[in-house]
Amino acid sequence: MLWFPAVAALALVVLPVVGLLVRSDLTRLPSLLVTSSSLNALRLSLVTAALSTVACVVLGVPLAIVLARSRVPGVRMLRSIVLLPLVLPPVVGGLALLYLLGRKGFLGILINWLTGEQVPFTTAAVVIAQTFVAMPFLVVSLEGALRGSGDRYEQVASTLGARPWTVFRRVTLPLLLPALGSGVVLSFARALGEFGATITFAGSLEGVTRTLPLEVYTQAEVDIDSAVALALLLIVVAILVIAVARPRSWEGGLR
C-alpha cells in the first residue's frame, strides 16, 4: 500500500521537471545556454555557492558542536534562533540582512565608517545571503550526528589524559566526517538555488549579483524559452552536485 503515496510523492517531484522538458525548445537549447549573460550567471552561482559553503563550514561546525555539547541554560532557545532561516521566507531574511548591513543598518554604518565600502548589492552580499540560508542545513546535520553518537568516546579520551584540543581533533572531528559531507552537499545545493534573500539584499546586477536563479527570473519576463533552458541547466547542475558529491554514507543503510 505504501507504493501509492510513494508514487504520488515521486510524481510531485518529477512531473514538473517533465513539464519543463516538454515546454523547452530543444533546437534553441544550446544557443540559449551559451549566451554571455547565462555563462556569467552560471559562473557567479558556482563561485558564490562554493564560497558560502566554505563560510558555512568555518562558522557552522563550531556552532553545531557548541549546540550539541553545551549544557548552559538557554541553549534550546539558541538552537531555535539558529534554525530560524529554515522556516523564514527568504525575502524576510534578505530584508533582515539589508537593515543590518545596509546604509542605515547599525553594522552597515560601522562598516562604511571603517572601510568606506557598502555591503549590499555586491558579490559579497550574495555570499552572505547564501550563507544565511544554507548554514542551518549544515548545523542540523552535524548536531544530529553528535547527539546520535553521544559523548562517551570523548569522555573516555579525556579520562585517558587527552587534552581538550586533542579530543576535538582526534575524536570529535572524525565522528563528524560523514555528517559533514552530507551537510556540505546540502549547504552547497541550497546556496546554489538561493533566490529570495539574494534579490532582496544583493539585487540583480549582471556579472556582480545576478546568479543563475535570478537570471531565470529575469529571462522569464523577456524570453520564456531562455528561462526554461536556464531552469533545466540549474536542475542538471543541482542533480550532478548531489549525485557526485554526496557521501556514500547516505546509502549505507541500504547496503
Side-chain angles (χ1 to χ4, degrees), residues 74-213:
V75 70
R76 294 186 62 182
M77 179 60 67
L78 180 61
R79 184 182 301 111
S80 301
I81 296 174
V82 170
L83 300 183
L84 196 59
L86 289 177
V87 296
L88 273 181
V91 174
V92 175
L95 283 175
L97 291 172
L98 186 61
Y99 287 110
L100 170 68
L101 297 169
R103 290 186 303 171
K104 297 183 179 180
F106 65 90
L107 195 54
I109 293 174
L110 179 61
I111 293 174
N112 189 26
W113 180 70
L114 292 175
T115 66
E117 301 292 335
Q118 295 182 6
V119 177
F121 309 107
T122 63
T123 304
V126 177
V127 177
I128 293 172
Q130 291 176 343
T131 304
F132 176 80
V133 300
M135 188 169 59
F137 289 89
L138 182 73
V139 174
V140 167
S141 299
L142 297 184
E143 187 189 6
L146 285 171
R147 289 184 175 276
S149 63
D151 60 353
R152 58 186 182 278
Y153 297 113
E154 294 157 318
Q155 291 180 358
V156 169
S158 298
T159 58
L160 293 176
R163 295 181 179 274
W165 176 248
T166 303
V167 174
F168 173 76
R169 183 170 52 88
R170 301 293 296 272
V171 180
T172 306
L173 281 184
L175 288 174
L176 283 178
L177 286 180
L180 180 61
S182 62
V184 165
V185 173
L186 289 173
S187 297
F188 183 85
R190 179 64 185 88
L192 192 65
E194 163 52 29
F195 174 82
T198 302
I199 196 171
T200 307
F201 179 50
S204 181
L205 305 174
E206 184 175 350
V208 181
T209 65
R210 187 178 297 172
T211 57
L212 199 53

